[in-house]
Amino acid sequence: MDVLGNYKSAISARSTDKDILKKSQDGGIITTLFAYALEEGIIDGAIVAGPSDEPWRPEPMVATSKAELLAAAGTRYTISPNLYLIKEATRSYGLDRVGIVGVPCQIQAVRKAQLYPIGMRDVDDKIALALGIYCMENLSYQALEAIVEDHCNQKMESVKKMDIGKGKFTVYTERGAVSQMPLKLIHKYVQPGCNVCLDYVGNLADISSGSVGSPDGWSTVFVRSMKGNAVWDGAIAAGCFETKPMDQVKPGLDLVKKLATEKITKNQKNVDARKTVGLKADGTPKGLRNPYESP
Amino acid sequence: MKPAASEPQTKPEVKPEAKPAASQPPTKPEAKPEVKTARSKPHRKPEGKPEVKPEAKPAATEPQKKPAVKPSDVIVDEKVEVVKEEKPVADKITIGELHLSGCTGCLVTLADNYEGLFKLLDDYADLVYALTLVDVRHVPEMDVCLVEGSCCLNDELSVEELKEARAKSKVLVAYGACAAYGNITRFCRGGQWNQPGHEAFVPISEVVDVDLYIPSCPPCPQEVRNVAVMAYLLLRGNDEQKQLATAYLTPLMQLAQRGNEACGCDLMYDVINQGLCMGCGTCAGTCPVRAITMEYGKPNVNRDQCIKCGACYSQCPRSWFNFDVMNNYEAIMGAIKGAMQ
Ligand SMILES: Cc1cc2nc3c(=O)[nH]c(=O)nc-3n(C[C@H](O)[C@H](O)[C@H](O)COP(=O)(O)OP(=O)(O)OC[C@H]3O[C@@H](n4cnc5c(N)ncnc54)[C@H](O)[C@@H]3O)c2cc1C
Ligand code: SF4
Ligand code: SF4
Ligand code: SF4
């Protein structure tokens, strides 16, 4: 498979909903698609990264209204274990058609839960829309705190927006301050599990989106599955998005491809390095566990 | 015969080409396992031959190692003829359920496929042995034997029947957590009514070789359905279908090789301690007794609450993730759905 995965079309897009754009991270693709799917009855609810009792710590949540979707819009650069609710959404919440958003590894988890539903009773055909967001790496909450408070010198609760782009981690505060740190200083904080991750752009999602490749405020969208295609076509027909062809925006698909290749090449090396990290008595290498080979 | 060439083959076929025309009602929906990637062109091969394209990994990856364990492949060649002579409907496979020390939840799970179970029994498998469902007293020959429950070493009959099932089946499946890992019977220390003398319970792999695991308590109806369909393709399908089925079943076979001890601790030992956890939350969402919570993005297991069912680890995308199967999720799910219509 290509580093960008299989897709039917790649588009640069932005939501036409002003309320969503005020709260969303980039082009508001995820929130707008879920709002459309809720409206149309394609989903009964969506598992998103909701607010919690700590600033910037997401808590997975089942959103069943646009207001709830808006409360969960925007990126939190820390783990939101959205799969935690995937079975619960079909039980306590009684959803027959579940939407879920996740970083690429979470979309992988969704597909494994569908193909090998070992402990996922009656879930497989209730996943109605799995939306992916691109992801280079993720951080524990404590790591995010260290970055924002120690490196950027801002209080977590005073931060209005965090963003990653152009080689920098940027923090915008409520009072208008902007603090930045170079991305390469973040690497020591990245959770270890990300170092073996072989997916950048949500290859297994129905539709996946991220900022990279498109101008500020716009998003790059990959429409991938048949289901995703139908939802995307419907949303376009309903006027949910303005769009531009990818080859007419800068920096364009080449940058997406470059970053995807860099991530996957680096992490594939990490996966391979694990095979020979140790030493056996006979002088041959001893390896760590490789999830891509066997459990 | 089926109008293979002219039909628009949107539905995957899970029947071998060799199926006699007579046994197939003409109205039956076409179902071809076109295991294609989403971007592959709409053009289909005229013969409708299923395509299996395991496009395994992103860039620069070495080809995925093929299963070290393929017990069924070997045995297929030896025994397939015998079964064909015995069964009136030659292309179905035969499945049985041996009930040892389990709660019958696994058997009920099979029935929880509802009309899907009838479809399985109509087209793909004859149920030749099962408590209350089939009136057969002694363990018969069968292609696939699902064993429910752990094996009580103090009960001679259990040990004997388990060995008999091993000897008479091509693929022996530890069906559910008790058979695979002991599960709640791991906590038994004897003294219970009405068999106080029964105190030694072991996962079945302590007594016999096991080919494949279906963990969880109870197991999931859709998983046993998928395994049944894949077992059918493995034993009766054409080469490409066999290849798909082998790829699908491989991790479940590897689980059987991995060992018979399970616990929420596996998430610590084999995922987090190994630097592989990325906090997706699947384990916590999977646990049937809600023994797992997510604390700051990582699972925390209440070990006293854990019943040792093995669901969390096997469902975790970092226990295994086989790109050759997962990258074709859309086609494979379509194939299984088509097979069930
Ligand atoms: C850890 C992380 C790393 C990322 N890295 C990149 C990158 O390298 N390049 C790139 O182009 N894009 C990256 N993104 C994606 C990007 O930040 C935006 O989330 C994406 O473009 C969607 O924006 P939107 O305006 O369409 O979505 P919105 O309408 O703002 O909706 C975003 C949705 O994502 C959910 N969400 C927020 N945080 C998380 C989380 N931590 N885990 C799961 N779901 C969450 C929200 O609940 C909401 O439903 C990353 C996102 C995360 C969480
Ligand atoms: S880098 Fe990969 S493993 Fe880490 S959070 Fe992102 S998608 Fe998941
Ligand atoms: S399922 Fe695996 S990767 Fe996901 S949170 Fe649990 S242990 Fe971590
Ligand atoms: S933690 Fe839960 S899912 Fe994991 S083995 Fe224990 S009971 Fe099973």
Side-chain angles (χ1 to χ4, degrees), chain A residues 24-26 28-31 49 72 74-76 78 134 200 210-212:
Chain A
S24 65
Q25 187 73 17
D26 299 311
I29 307 301
I30 306 300
T31 304
T75 302
R76 265 56 47 76
T78 180
Y134 307 169
Y200 177 53
S211 60
V212 70

Side-chain angles (χ1 to χ4, degrees), chain A residues 7 54 79 83 87 111-112 115-122 124 191 193 226 274 289 291-292 295, chain B residues 39 64 109 112 220 222-223 225 248 270 274 280 286 296 298 314-316 318-322 330:
Chain A
Y7 57 89
E54 284 173 281
I79 303 161
L83 270 287
K87 188 161 59 173
R111 298 316 179 197
K112 182 170 171 182
L115 280 175
Y116 296 95
I118 291 167
M120 290 284 179
R121 179 174 281 242
D122 299 343
D124 65 345
Q191 64 166 343
M226 308 243 275
R274 290 171 63 90
R289 211 172 68 69
Y292 303 116
Chain B
R39 203 168 36 162
Q64 187 142 12
T109 289
D112 283 346
C220 169
Q222 292 80 28
E223 181 58 40
R225 173 202 68 196
Y248 180 88
D270 282 353
Q274 286 273 334
C280 63
T286 298
Y296 289 108
K298 299 288 142 126
S314 47
Q315 195 72 71
C316 166
R318 292 289 168 87
S319 62
W320 89 76
F321 197 81
N322 45 350
E330 214 181 350

